[in-house]
Amino acid sequence: MDLEKLLADRLTPAFAAVAGGPVAPAVRRSAHADYQSDAALALARRLGRPPREIAAEVLGRAILGDLCAAAEVSGPGFINLTVADQALGAAVAGLVGDPRLGVPRVAEPETVLIDYSAPNVAKEMHVGHLRSTIIGDATARLLGWRGHRVIRANHLGDWGTPFGMLIEHLLDLGEADGAAELSVGDLDSFYRAARAKFDADEGFRARSRLRVVALQSGDERTVRLWRLLVGRSEGYFLGVYQALDVTLTERDFQGESRYQPMLGPVVEELDRLGLLRDSDGAACVFPPGSVGRDGEPLPLIVRKRDGGYGYPATDLAALRYRTGELGATRLLYVVGLPQRRHFEMVFAVAASAGWLPGAARAEHVGFGSVLGADGRMLRSRAGAPVKLADLLDEAVARATALARRKNPGLDAAEVAEVGRAVGIGAVKYADLATDRHRDYVFDWDRMLSLDGNTAPYLQYAYARIRSLFRRAGADGLPAAVEAVRVPLADPAERALVFALLGFAPVVVEVERTLEFHQLAGHLHRVAATFSAFYERCPVLRAEGAVREGRLMLCGLTARVLRQGLDLLGIRTPERM
Ligand code: ARG
C-alpha cells in the first residue's frame, strides 16, 4: 500500500470539485510535514482565487480522517498532512507481509528489448561498454522484476569492412596463434597490428578487400575464419560479463551480422515508401527535424555509394525486426551520448516508415563518459585505453584487501566472496549512483569508501543488520507478524518507516525514467536513516513489544537494501 498514492487518491476528487476539472494533487514527502501538496498554489493562478482559500476548501471536502492525524493549510497555501500512526502501522505491516515490498508486478506486461553492452569483435571493450553493460543490466533486472518480458540484445559489432583485414591478419599469424592471442583478450594488439599492416602495405590492403567480398558472398573458408574471430571474442566478453556479475549470456549475442539478409529489403521498403533520396550516389533518408549546425537537413545514409550498408542501415533493420518479429513495444538503446544524433535519426526514420506502430516506442538511454582523476577520458598509466578485465581485477584486489583489514574474523573463502561482491559492487554503484547523463570521475578511494553514497556503505549496513539478527538468536522475524506493533514513538522510527515505504514509488518511477541514481540515492537514504535510528533506538537491549517492533524494522530495512541492491546488480554478503 503506497501511502503517497493513497493520500493523492483522497485529495484528487476534492481538488476536482474545487477546480471544476481534474488537478494533479502533487503529494510529496516534505521536511515540514509527513507529506505536502502544493497543488493549490498553481491552481490559484488559474482560478484567480487566494491559494489558502483553495487549500482550505480542498481540506474541507477531502476524506482524510482515517489516514491523517492532522491536515492543515500552511504558509502561502500548502496542504500539510501528518499520517495517523494507525495508518502508518498498517502500511508497514503490509510491507512486512509482502515478498515484493510494496512493488506490485505490472498489470500489463510489455515486451521490452534492451540493446546494451555491444562491444566490437577483435577490439577491447572500453569503459563506454562498461557503462552500457552496467546500466543495461540494472534495466533488465528492474524491468524483469516488475514483470515485463525482457529481451537482452547484445548488438555485437561483428560485421563490416574491418573483417577483411582481421581475417587476413589471422591467416598471417597462423590460425592457432592468432586465435590464442584473441582468447586471452589481447584484442587491441591484434586489431592494431592488422590496422598497421593495412595502412602500410598495398598488397595486404588488396587481399583484405578481396576477403571482405569473399565474406559477403559466403565463401566457406572465409566464413569459418570469421566465426573463429567472433567466437574467440565472444568467449573473452563472456569472461568479462562473468567477472562483472551481470545477467548477459551467450544466448543474448544478437550481433550486427544477423541483420545482413534484411538490409536489402529494408532499403527497398524505404524506397517503396518514397523516403529515399539520392545524394552523390548514396541512398539517404532525410528524417524530419534533423538539421545540422548550418541549418541544412542531415541525411541518414542507408546505402553507401559503393553499394555497401553501414551502421545506420543495420540499426534500421534491427529496429524493424525487433518490433515486427519480436513484438517489442519498448526499445531501449543503452549507448553513450555521442551517438544521440544517430539514434534520433534512426528513430525518426523508423517512425516515418511505420516500424514503430501503435504503442511501440524507442528510447536512447544515453550516458556520459568515465573520466580519470585528471578530468580527461580514463586511460591506463601507460596512456593506453584501460583494459576492462584489468580494471575489474584491480577492483576485486582492492576490496579484498579492505575486507581483510576491516574484519580479521573472516575466513579465506569469506574474504574472497566479500572482496568480489564489494569490488564489483563498488564499480557498478559508482556508475549507477550518478545521473547517467553526466560524466563521472573514476576514483578508487571514493567508490570503496565505507561512508558516503557507495556500495560498501550500503553492503555494510546490510551485513550489520544480519549480524544483529545472528546475535538476537533469530534468523528471521518474529513468527506472527500481525501481532507485532510497529514502533512509531521515536522520530527516528517514523523517519525509517517513511524511508522504507518510499522504496516502492522510487522503483516504479525508475521503471519509467531509467534514472538509477534515484534508486541508489533512495537506498542510501534508507541506510543513513537506519543508521540514525540504530544510534538512538536500542534494539537488542529493548524489551518486549518494543524489541520485537524494532527488530521488525531492522528486518524490513535489510530486505529493502538487499532487494534494491539486487535490482542494481549488486550482491549483499551476509558478513563483512
Ligand atoms: N558497437 C557499438 C559501439 O561500440 C555500439 C552499438 C550500440 N547499439 C546499437 N544498436 N547501435 O559503439
Side-chain angles (χ1 to χ4, degrees), residues 115-120 126 129 155-157 256 311 315 318 322 333-335 339 342-343:
D115 178 316
Y116 68 112
S117 195
N120 302 308
H126 55 66
H129 298 122
H155 196 76
L156 199 66
E256 296 183 6
Y311 191 58
D315 261 324
R322 289 163 177 184
Y333 292 76
V334 190
V335 187
Q339 293 195 37
H342 164 76
F343 286 113

Side-chain angles (χ1 to χ4, degrees), residues 298-320:
L298 279 179
L300 191 70
I301 302 176
V302 293
R303 193 179 52 224
K304 293 184 262 187
R305 267 165 78 178
D306 64 5
Y309 304 99
Y311 191 58
T314 307
D315 261 324
L316 285 172
L319 192 153
R320 193 182 69 148

Side-chain angles (χ1 to χ4, degrees), residues 129-139 244 427-428 431-432:
H129 298 122
L130 174 72
R131 289 209 76 177
S132 173
T133 308
I134 292 172
I135 298 168
D137 187 54
T139 305
L244 200 52
V427 170
K428 289 183 177 179
D431 197 306
L432 295 168

Side-chain angles (χ1 to χ4, degrees), residues 373-491:
D374 56 2
R376 317 243 310 259
M377 294 287 264
L378 189 64
R379 303 255 141 190
S380 73
R381 254 177 237 112
V386 280
K387 203 169 148 184
L388 233 119
D390 293 347
L391 191 87
L392 301 180
D393 284 347
E394 180 164 356
V396 173
R398 282 176 183 261
T400 305
L402 182 77
R404 206 172 277 130
R405 223 170 35 241
K406 179 89 190 154
N407 187 350
L410 297 179
D411 65 33
E414 282 171 327
V415 167
E417 193 203 315
V418 171
R420 184 152 182 254
V422 172
I424 298 301
V427 170
K428 289 183 177 179
Y429 193 86
D431 197 306
L432 295 168
T434 37
D435 181 338
R436 63 180 156 80
H437 295 98
R438 304 223 314 252
D439 299 343
Y440 76 91
V441 174
F442 196 93
D443 177 343
W444 287 120
D445 293 332
R446 204 174 59 206
M447 69 176 74
L448 283 166
S449 162
L450 279 162
D451 42 45
N453 190 12
T454 66
Y457 175 76
L458 295 177
Q459 289 168 319
Y460 187 65
Y462 175 80
R464 198 167 157 203
I465 299 173
R466 298 301 298 161
S467 122
L468 178 88
F469 275 100
R470 283 191 296 274
R471 276 179 289 134
D475 210 29
L477 299 168
V481 172
E482 306 76 39
V484 177
R485 203 162 353 99
V486 179
L488 294 164
D490 195 289

Side-chain angles (χ1 to χ4, degrees), residues 73-94:
V73 180
S74 94
F78 294 110
I79 293 176
N80 282 359
L81 302 172
T82 304
V83 179
D85 281 1
Q86 215 211 343
L88 208 49
V92 176

Side-chain angles (χ1 to χ4, degrees), residues 5 60 128 183 232 292 317 332 346 373 376 385 420 426 455 532 545:
K5 188 165 175 311
S183 302
R232 292 304 155 116
L332 302 169
V346 167
R376 317 243 310 259
R420 184 152 182 254

